[in-house]
Amino acid sequence: MEDKIIKQLKENNLLRIIDEPLDIYLEIPHIAYIEVKKEDSKALLFTNPIDKKNNKTFDTPVLMNVFCNEEAVELFIGDGDKIAKEIEGLLKMKPPTGFMNKLAMFGQLFNLKSVFPKRLKGKGECQQIIKLGKEAKLSDIPVLTTWEQDGGPFITMGQVYTTSLDGTMHNVGMYRLQIYDDQTVGMHWQIHKDSNHFFHEYKKAGKKMPVSIGIGGDPMYIWCGQAPLPIGVFELMLYGFVKKKNAQLVKSITNDIYVPNDVDFVIEGLVDVENMRIEGPFGDHTGYYTLEEDYPFMDVTAITSKKNPIYAATVVGKPLLEDKYMGHATERIFLPLLQTTAPDLLDYYMPENGVFHNLILGKIKTAYPGHAQQIMHAFWGVGQMSFVKHAIFVDQDAPDLPSMEVIPYILDRFTTDNILITKGVVDALDHSSPKFAVGGKLGIDCTGNDIAELGIEILEDAVLLEKMQNISKDIKGLKQYYTDTKSPIVVISVEKNRSQKYLIDELKPLFNHIKILAIVDEKNNELNNPYMLIWRVVNNIDSNRDIYIDGQTVSIDATNKNNHDNFQRRWPDDVVCTKSVIDDLRQRKIIDIDDNFIKYWGLI
């Protein structure tokens, strides 16, 4: 019988099947990485994965890019705006005053019966094949190695199921999982994650921690695993609320954790809380490698699966990625919950090239001076929103988000007087902050009326570049954006051989031509590609170190940091494809892309 998910994708013309034998090392993930960046992106089913290094073939197909576009998200999750309205209705529920209102409320509450997962008796679909102990081999699963510098193969769409020590709280999270050998898998539990909190409960008690990892099944499970719910709320309750049916769970074979009945694989095991192991490096969704660090690991006790399982995986790196579409659904669905903390928030948008937590645009209903700053602080104090590094706020009169028209609206209201720079928690994957997990926060208030003209004389690109190069030969290129606004942006590329604060000081005589200056490295940056320039800038800056304000001119040092900046941490490499693999796939006509596509997305 055909897999349900494959059938749905086929019926909606959302699947491309590739029968060519392809390597789990780089080839398959490189193809998926390219596919998701295409305008007509589809899910990919690789029917003949192979492991060239170990001369091995797999009967298990690999499914990638399942959230390939907005249509796929609606197919597997639903209409985000409609779901948000249901949540909003529950949050605003009041005691009914009449019989019909009572009936309506009863209907709403009756629908909540599907929220709680249902525990089934007996074995599930995911336990049709059971392998225990040494028979359970991770190498029998076609786990992918995505990038050349990765520390090894990683499970990238694993649903990691854990419980608190007392068994009262349950969690499913989406974490990368490094494969060390046939019976050992790493647990990338960052310090802010629920599973890490549970881990420390077991560590304090001196007990091994049971874990079960689900792979595949309903794509909604993996979306739930990355949903920003408060600690203690089991993410599969969200599955029941959205799907209007209970998640069906079965007990793991070697521990007491319950997992969805219909996942394709379950990897069970125990985490020894007394031991850690080096994990990484790994080319992550920031577009940079995250470096080696100590993390817990799990000893495998069992691997169970369907009779004919499919291995689900995703690929992360530079945008555009699958998480664009997953993230958009998350934005829409969680807007009502965010509004409980910030009631005057009308809408928000987290652009995928801002890597979500690195940039947020918020639209608010302003009522008094400082209102935007108040909401900035609220954002930085709420759950996963606390990881946001840069926040820009506009008022109710601004164009709809995410319209491109909002950019000139922002620039016509930008003034250095309305910049707020502070410090706080940042994502554990952030590489630009001077210290791990703590860094700068930048808020910009662009509410209110247009600013007055500031007397900037705009020059042609070639003229301004010549003036700059007469000051410093470090400057290699220049491009201006939005010169028809009151705050044009000047982007320059440099060959860096010193701290950029010295260059910024030298350029001050030209500040009567510059309102916003952004500096990037000449290497690996295209000045004519604003999409990727935004990605670079918001990734590379720490606002406490890299923002320089002089009157009404703001300069931004978005270069890679090194000893010239007294940067003490290791600066990671960009994530790029392996050129020889791309060349070979093009020659074999498995991928059809031109040099412009490669250059635009920074593939190699």
Side-chain angles (χ1 to χ4, degrees):
M1 186 173 70
E2 187 171 44
D3 179 84
K4 179 182 175 183
I5 304 306
I6 298 301
K7 186 169 184 256
Q8 286 179 282
L9 289 167
K10 281 183 177 178
E11 288 173 350
N12 289 273
N13 193 29
L14 292 171
L15 184 68
R16 177 183 164 206
I17 298 174
I18 301 177
D19 294 323
E20 178 100 7
L22 288 160
D23 201 349
I24 59 174
Y25 179 76
L26 303 184
E27 283 188 345
I28 288 176
H30 277 25
I31 294 166
Y33 187 60
I34 289 165
E35 178 70 23
V36 76
K37 290 172 168 51
K38 295 181 178 179
E39 289 186 11
D40 60 347
S41 171
K42 292 187 178 183
L44 300 177
L45 184 68
F46 299 90
T47 59
N48 287 297
I50 60 173
D51 179 354
K52 290 181 183 177
K53 180 181 177 182
N54 295 299
N55 195 27
K56 186 172 184 173
T57 61
F58 298 90
D59 295 327
T60 301
V62 175
L63 177 64
M64 300 193 73
N65 201 22
V66 69
F67 292 108
C68 53
N69 54 34
E70 299 286 359
E71 187 182 347
V73 169
E74 188 157 345
L75 177 65
F76 293 121
I77 297 175
D79 184 332
D81 290 317
K82 183 179 177 182
I83 296 165
K85 281 183 171 62
E86 290 183 52
I87 294 173
E88 185 178 21
L90 287 172
L91 293 172
K92 294 181 177 179
M93 191 179 289
K94 297 178 181 178
T97 55
F99 178 70
M100 294 306 294
N101 286 337
K102 288 179 181 178
L103 283 180
M105 176 178 279
F106 178 77
Q108 283 181 292
L109 295 175
F110 184 75
N111 286 335
L112 294 179
K113 68 180 176 58
S114 303
V115 165
F116 299 99
K118 184 177 181 181
R119 293 184 171 186
L120 306 179
K121 294 182 179 179
K123 292 183 173 62
E125 291 179 53
C126 60
Q127 296 163 331
Q128 291 170 337
I129 296 175
I130 299 172
K131 295 181 179 180
L132 302 172
K134 296 298 181 184
E135 288 187 2
K137 295 181 179 180
L138 292 166
S139 59
D140 289 340
I141 303 172
V143 182
L144 309 174
T145 301
T146 307
W147 305 113
E148 194 172 316
Q149 292 184 38
D150 281 359
F154 282 81
I155 296 170
T156 52
M157 254 189 171
Q159 310 151 31
V160 181
Y161 293 88
T162 54
T163 62
S164 59
L165 181 63
D166 62 8
T168 60
M169 290 192 290
H170 309 277
N171 178 259
V172 54
M174 180 181 175
Y175 312 106
R176 72 188 197 219
L177 305 162
Q178 184 172 352
I179 305 301
Y180 293 110
D181 55 47
D182 269 341
Q183 270 81 40
T184 316
V185 56
M187 299 282 118
H188 190 253
W189 288 334
Q190 299 166 38
I191 59 172
H192 307 112
K193 303 298 184 181
D194 291 359
S195 291
N196 188 64
H197 299 321
F198 294 168
F199 171 79
H200 284 286
E201 289 181 2
Y202 284 89
K203 185 176 177 64
K204 188 175 180 180
K207 294 183 177 181
K208 290 188 176 182
M209 179 177 174
V211 177
S212 290
I213 302 164
I215 302 172
D218 192 327
M220 182 74 178
Y221 300 141
I222 202 67
W223 180 79
C224 289
Q226 55 82 54
L229 289 170
I231 187 168
V233 178
F234 189 21
E235 288 78 5
L236 289 189
M237 292 172 66
L238 184 59
Y239 175 96
F241 178 82
V242 172
K243 292 278 191 176
K244 301 294 184 286
K245 62 180 182 180
N246 309 87
Q248 308 282 301
L249 309 182
V250 293
K251 183 181 170 297
S252 298
I253 300 298
T254 59
N255 64 45
D256 292 330
I257 293 175
Y258 280 75
V259 296
N261 170 60
D262 62 332
V263 293
D264 289 79
F265 289 96
V266 182
I267 304 168
E268 304 175 15
L270 293 169
V271 172
D272 184 345
V273 297
E274 299 303 325
N275 292 304
M276 306 284 270
R277 189 162 179 170
I278 291 291
E279 192 265 5
F282 177 71
D284 219 315
H285 75 280
T286 60
Y288 289 81
Y289 283 93
T290 48
L291 303 175
E292 305 94 326
E293 285 188 271
D294 281 331
Y295 275 97
F297 60 91
M298 183 181 85
D299 295 313
V300 174
T301 55
I303 298 176
T304 72
S305 70
K306 294 178 179 176
K307 284 183 181 176
N308 297 297
I310 294 172
Y311 177 72
T314 190
V315 60
V316 292
K318 295 175 186 173
L320 189 153
L321 301 168
E322 207 173 343
D323 61 6
K324 169 184 176 176
Y325 306 108
M326 296 170 71
H328 180 67
T330 303
E331 274 178 22
R332 297 302 89 210
I333 291 170
F334 282 88
L335 175 58
L337 292 174
L338 196 53
Q339 287 169 328
T340 61
T341 299
D344 296 307
L345 177 69
L346 301 175
D347 201 1
Y348 73 111
Y349 172 54
M350 303 177 81
E352 77 279 355
N353 56 331
V355 199
F356 300 101
H357 57 266
N358 280 347
L359 178 63
I360 186 169
L361 306 179
K363 189 174 187 178
I364 62 174
K365 182 180 179 181
T366 53
Y368 41 79
H371 202 164
Q373 286 84 350
Q374 182 185 48
I375 294 180
M376 291 173 198
H377 288 296
F379 266 45
W380 290 326
V382 178
Q384 292 193 27
M385 282 293 172
S386 63
F387 301 124
V388 170
K389 287 174 64 177
H390 312 110
I392 303 173
F393 286 92
V394 295
D395 58 25
Q396 60 268 33
D397 297 324
D400 291 339
L401 301 175
S403 166
M404 291 295 289
E405 292 164 7
V406 80
I407 299 176
Y409 186 92
I410 288 169
L411 293 173
D412 280 338
R413 287 156 182 79
F414 174 81
T415 167
T416 57
D417 297 332
N418 289 334
I419 292 176
L420 172 66
I421 296 177
T422 184
K423 188 176 182 180
V425 62
V426 296
D427 193 282
L429 299 180
D430 183 79
H431 64 270
S432 66
S433 57
K435 294 182 179 179
F436 170 73
V438 177
K441 303 282 192 180
L442 172 68
I444 305 175
D445 177 3
C446 291
T447 62
N449 298 323
D450 288 20
I451 58 172
E453 296 287 352
L454 295 175
I456 294 173
E457 180 191 2
I458 298 173
L459 304 178
E460 295 292 328
D461 284 7
V463 175
L464 185 56
L465 176 60
E466 183 181 4
K467 286 180 177 292
M468 286 190 170
Q469 289 180 329
N470 286 337
I471 291 172
S472 174
K473 298 302 180 186
D474 295 351
I475 299 168
K476 303 301 178 183
L478 179 147
K479 172 73 176 175
Q480 294 185 89
Y481 289 93
Y482 296 100
T483 54
D484 57 342
T485 71
K486 295 177 180 177
S487 303
I489 301 170
V490 179
V491 185
I492 61 173
S493 59
V494 299
E495 182 179 335
K496 181 172 178 175
N497 51 41
R498 55 178 174 159
S499 169
Q500 296 308 287
K501 66 182 179 181
Y502 301 116
L503 176 61
I504 292 167
D505 279 341
E506 291 171 356
L507 292 176
K508 282 182 180 180
L510 298 179
F511 279 5
N512 60 320
H513 305 298
I514 302 169
K515 182 70 181 297
I516 300 172
L517 173 67
I519 308 172
V520 297
D521 292 292
E522 180 187 25
K523 184 179 179 183
N524 296 330
N525 291 296
E526 293 292 331
L527 294 187
N528 292 313
N529 188 345
Y531 181 91
M532 294 305 293
L533 285 174
I534 289 171
W535 165 77
R536 179 71 73 187
V537 170
V538 298
N539 251 310
N540 265 17
I541 67 171
D542 181 279
S543 57
N544 281 302
R545 177 193 61 221
D546 298 324
I547 304 291
Y548 299 84
I549 297 172
D550 185 275
Q552 286 299 326
T553 299
V554 59
S555 302
I556 305 165
D557 175 10
T559 60
N560 294 356
K561 304 304 180 294
N562 54 31
N563 60 323
H564 293 307
D565 310 286
N566 196 30
F567 190 76
Q568 302 299 313
R569 302 170 67 193
R570 282 170 59 195
W571 192 272
D573 289 339
D574 287 13
V575 171
V576 292
C577 297
T578 299
K579 187 178 184 302
S580 60
V581 173
I582 294 295
D583 290 344
D584 182 62
L585 292 171
R586 292 175 79 183
Q587 186 176 1
R588 291 156 63 191
K589 300 190 183 308
I590 293 169
I591 57 174
D592 181 18
I593 55 173
D594 59 21
D595 291 344
N596 288 332
F597 185 97
I598 291 172
K599 184 177 181 180
Y600 181 87
W601 297 109
L603 297 187
I604 54 179

